[in-house]
Amino acid sequence: VHPLPKREVTDSGLTVEIPTPLNGLDIDLALKLNRNDKVFLVKMLHEFALKYQNAPMEIRKAVAASDHEAVYRLAHTVKGLAGTFGATTLKTAASALEARFRHGDLSEIEEGRDEIETFDLAVEALIVSANRCRILPAALETEEKMGILHTASKVLYTFPTGIPQKRGESHA
């Protein structure tokens, strides 16, 4: 059972939910690296989850095709991205995978299976954590809600059917 997320209204008027702890993410480091901009951090996490959700499958396909360069490039990219938002577990896993395939030696592919599995789990954990974070429109203040309700009730009272009437017409 995950603890309830803490909600915070930002200066931009958005409500950000970042539950803690988040598996695979050092939230303090992530906020420090991103100038404490929670909205930006959550957007980055969501973008990563969307763009790299298939990274483990792409790694496995590249390994099966003996395309060490593709494995290296993707691991290198993910390592860099993970470093920008405090995903230390994923950064370490991607770094190990990158090192394994840096020089194109596929002769030790069996030994590399552990790095691939660790990478898979780290990507999955980060995606689950990213999906637990949310950005919501800020809640309206009570006065704003009352103003909206007052305006709506005036409109409904003026037009009981909900359809504007032409002068001289009435709906009975």
Side-chain angles (χ1 to χ4, degrees), residues 105-126:
D105 183 10
L106 294 175
S107 63
E108 298 178 10
I109 192 63
E110 284 305 314
E111 291 82 6
R113 301 246 182 250
D114 288 342
E115 284 96 344
I116 294 169
E117 184 64 29
T118 302
F119 178 83
D120 288 0
L121 294 172
V123 169
E124 182 180 323
L126 186 60

Side-chain angles (χ1 to χ4, degrees), residues 22-34 41 44-46 48-49 52 75-96 118-119 121-130 133:
L22 287 173
N23 192 13
L25 187 69
D26 179 339
I27 193 66
D28 293 328
L29 176 59
L31 289 170
K32 181 180 176 184
L33 291 169
N34 292 284
L41 175 62
M44 275 184 35
L45 288 169
H46 287 174
F48 177 88
Y52 291 96
H76 179 78
T77 300
V78 169
K79 178 185 80 170
L81 289 170
T84 64
F85 48 79
T88 53
T89 303
L90 179 56
K91 181 180 177 187
T92 301
S95 184
T118 302
F119 178 83
L121 294 172
V123 169
E124 182 180 323
L126 186 60
I127 288 171
V128 167
S129 291
C133 300

